[in-house]
Amino acid sequence: MSDSVLLPLLVLWPLAGGLAALLAPRIVGLVLVAGTLGNLALGLFLAVTLPGGDPLAHDVGGWGAPLGIALRADGLSAILVLVTAFAAPWLALHASAAYAEPERRYFAGLFLLFLAALNGLFLAGDLFNLYVTLELLGLSAVALAALGGGPAALAASLRYLLATLTGSLAYLLGVALLYRAAGTLDLAQLAGQGTVLPGGAVAFALMVAGLLLKAAVFPLHFWLPPAHANATPPVSAALSGLAVKAPLYLVLRLWLSLYDGAWPLVAELLAALGAAGVLWCSLQAVLQARAKLLVAYSTVAQLGYLLVALALVPAAGLTAYGAFVVLLVSHVLAKAGLFLAVGNLARRARHDRIDGFERVVHHMPLSAGAIALAGVSLMGLPPSGGFSGKWLLLQAGIASGRWWLVAVVLLGGLLAAVYIFKLIEHTFGGSDRPEATALPRRMEWAALALAGSAVGLGFLGQPLLGLLGGVP
Amino acid sequence: MTGQALYAVLGCGLFCLGFHALVVAAHPLRRLLAVNVMGSSVFLVLVAGAAPGDPLPQALVITGIVVAVAATALGLNLLLRLAVPAAADEPADGEGGS
């Protein structure tokens, strides 16, 4: 399969699947399986064809920059496409048991559109197509979050919609200013130009502020906990695991390629925001009484590590870049697994108050195991992916002379241990209620598979960094 | 000041006005309208930035309007369901969520 087929197919396959699921409700199960597994096969193919060669590029329909749609794939895009494609079938497996009709049909359609938007975003080669894929991602994510249908979920989705639209528009205003100055939107043509263009700094501030709002980075995270905690479990997992990573990926791309990692102040500011987010939101997670809110705050805290790693890339190079990617991938897997497992517990108990969970370890050993494994990665204990990522992050921090980072990583890990043990304690303690209805086993296996692969990632650090290649 | 620059400044002013309304307004419908004003202001800046005979900004703005219409429709649907919970119990087939 050549680049000219592979890159468009990565967007078109899930897109066609999403439309098929909404149009042909009878075959929705088949579409969901074919859509997510086909996407995984394409993602794997992209990852094996990429290393050793140049980054892949394709102009859709033969229309090049500035008018056409340029698709590009380098190591970073390939890893993100692959981890998304890996998580998706497990989420679909869980969803196939978690929803009744018609929610299952809506989930299948929207989730495949969500995957198409993510793939499009990771492969897009110009600023405007990035805007369109950001909006597609935001709209499908908001519709997914509203799927639960309760008033709390609807109100949280509306807030999410307003936040994500505001973020996109700030980004688009920045793009408009850049186009005014440079006359092109192509990322390759704009490479390194950002700092010399008139208005480049203003455009940068607008784009990054909008993207940080969309990524729910502290202190712009106000919309995330209610939206993620009130959604249904497969949706929470998709939003917390995948949706918030895309804007951060874009911040990294823009800052490193368009602006060459310029302005030391930007790095200091991003690192400070990230560190504050780790500490403040880990503390918030510890204080929550509802399990899903606890997991949602943990997401904002973990995004803080990603932001710190991102901020260190210009100073520490490949070490920080590798830390960003390993932390990102392990958080996708661990958080998706944790949200599914906590969703299983909440479904059995019919509420998600932590102190009201009964002793479920005998009845749902797989979900309890998933919480423990995801917790190992979130706390950063060896041999998990979370440990490898934090280890690289510490090395990057020390190499660039930021010793305070050691304290932040240690404190963040301790607070993570507190909130994870708060969850674990209640799956092993509390009163037993054996008569509660059992859940379909595949809902438990999906959670365990995702959480287990977050730990397994600790053994795959080298191949992952090999696929990543150098700093762009 | 040339006409184009005037439009660009106007667009930035409108963006700030829209953002102010978004932050200050309490009612979700007003906030949705504020986001729409912000969207239009960005389109104004895009069109004002076009060199003579450059078709690209128009193509971008048309795409942007399509996105804005879809987003507004989704927002209004959510608003309606929040305002009239009874209507959510019996959605017509193929409607809602999508």
Side-chain angles (χ1 to χ4, degrees):
Chain A
M1 198 167 7
S2 65
D3 312 352
S4 56
V5 180
L6 178 62
L7 294 183
L9 205 55
L10 269 165
V11 181
L12 289 177
W13 181 264
L15 185 66
L19 296 180
L22 291 172
L23 293 177
R26 284 164 194 276
I27 52 163
V28 65
L30 181 71
V31 171
L32 196 53
V33 170
T36 51
L37 288 183
N39 186 41
L40 177 58
L42 290 169
L44 280 171
F45 193 80
L46 177 66
V48 270
T49 40
L50 198 66
D54 293 324
L56 304 181
H58 175 64
D59 294 328
V60 177
W63 289 86
L67 267 181
I69 297 177
L71 296 176
R72 312 250 167 73
D74 60 5
L76 182 61
S77 322
I79 288 175
L80 288 169
V81 167
L82 186 61
V83 66
T84 307
F86 176 78
W90 298 110
L91 297 179
L93 181 72
H94 188 276
S96 70
Y99 293 115
E101 289 297 338
E103 276 84 14
R104 187 184 302 152
R105 168 157 55 108
Y106 294 149
F107 174 84
L110 290 169
F111 184 61
L112 288 169
L113 292 181
F114 175 81
L115 287 182
L118 275 173
N119 281 355
L121 198 149
F122 296 143
L123 299 175
D126 82 70
L127 290 170
F128 192 75
N129 290 325
L130 284 168
Y131 163 73
V132 174
T133 50
L134 266 178
E135 286 285 41
L136 288 177
L137 179 70
L139 294 185
S140 52
V142 168
L144 278 170
L147 206 56
L154 289 175
S157 311
L158 191 59
R159 227 165 138 195
Y160 182 11
L161 178 70
L162 291 171
T164 189
L165 288 178
T166 310
S168 306
L169 287 173
Y171 169 80
L172 187 63
L173 186 59
V175 171
L177 293 180
L178 270 189
Y179 182 75
R180 212 179 144 73
T184 179
L185 293 167
D186 191 75
L187 282 179
Q189 289 177 9
L190 281 168
Q193 299 283 310
T195 45
V196 291
L197 288 171
V202 179
F204 180 75
L206 280 166
M207 289 191 290
V208 169
L211 292 170
L212 291 184
L213 174 63
K214 285 176 84 81
V217 162
F218 175 87
L220 302 172
H221 64 286
F222 59 91
W223 59 265
L224 185 144
H228 287 194
N230 288 311
T232 45
V235 172
S236 306
L239 297 188
S240 242
L242 299 169
V244 287
K245 307 300 188 318
L248 270 188
Y249 154 82
L250 199 47
V251 171
L252 179 97
R253 251 295 169 243
L254 294 178
W255 188 36
L256 292 187
S257 73
L258 260 55
Y259 289 85
D260 282 336
W263 303 306
L265 182 66
V266 173
E268 297 299 333
L269 201 62
L270 291 179
L273 282 182
V278 168
L279 298 178
W280 176 252
C281 291
S282 297
L283 195 62
Q284 289 297 315
V286 169
L287 297 176
Q288 295 305 312
R290 283 183 52 200
K292 288 170 87 177
L293 271 174
L294 181 154
V295 183
Y297 271 106
S298 151
T299 297
V300 188
Q302 300 284 324
L303 288 171
Y305 290 116
L306 290 180
L307 202 60
V308 174
L310 198 164
L312 294 183
V313 174
L318 195 57
T319 320
Y321 192 48
F324 178 83
V325 170
V326 175
L327 281 170
L328 191 152
V329 173
S330 61
H331 183 248
V332 169
L333 301 172
K335 190 49 60 75
L338 186 59
F339 248 127
L340 292 186
V342 167
N344 289 344
L345 258 61
R347 190 178 165 114
R348 185 184 151 94
R350 295 169 198 278
H351 63 78
D352 75 332
R353 291 189 315 278
I354 299 170
D355 56 6
F357 280 156
E358 59 265 20
R359 181 164 49 208
V360 290
V361 66
H362 298 306
H363 309 291
M364 303 172 73
L366 301 178
S367 294
I371 292 180
L373 286 177
V376 165
S377 185
L378 291 177
M379 285 183 260
L381 299 181
S384 65
F387 171 75
S388 314
K390 280 186 183 171
W391 185 250
L392 286 170
L393 182 61
L394 279 180
Q395 283 185 339
I398 291 167
S400 60
R402 288 174 172 82
W403 289 93
W404 52 264
L405 194 61
V406 180
V408 170
V409 169
L410 282 179
L411 263 176
L414 272 179
L415 287 169
V418 175
Y419 63 69
I420 291 297
F421 277 111
K422 211 171 137 184
L423 280 177
I424 290 180
E425 181 198 341
H426 285 280
T427 64
F428 286 87
S431 58
D432 200 355
R433 195 164 64 100
E435 76 281 7
T437 46
L439 293 186
R441 267 295 148 103
R442 59 182 190 270
M443 291 172 73
E444 296 205 65
W445 277 113
L448 187 69
L450 284 166
S453 34
V455 175
L457 183 73
F459 300 101
L460 291 174
Q462 280 309 323
L464 196 68
L465 294 182
L467 179 56
L468 183 62
V471 181
Chain B
M1 192 186 276
T2 65
Q4 278 198 333
L6 185 67
Y7 282 124
V9 171
L10 204 65
C12 291
L14 264 179
F15 188 85
C16 297
L17 270 181
F19 187 68
H20 176 254
L22 176 72
V23 175
V24 169
H27 195 282
L29 185 58
R30 280 176 182 272
R31 302 176 75 188
L32 199 60
L33 289 174
V35 170
N36 268 281
V37 170
M38 287 167 69
S40 305
S41 72
V42 177
F43 301 151
L44 191 61
V45 175
L46 263 173
V47 171
D54 182 3
L56 190 63
Q58 294 173 30
L60 302 187
V61 168
I62 289 171
T63 315
I65 288 174
V66 173
V67 172
V69 169
T72 310
L74 178 62
L76 288 177
N77 198 332
L78 288 175
L79 256 176
L80 274 178
R81 268 155 202 270
L82 266 176
V84 198
D89 293 336
E90 38 191 329
D93 196 34
E95 188 214 338
S98 50

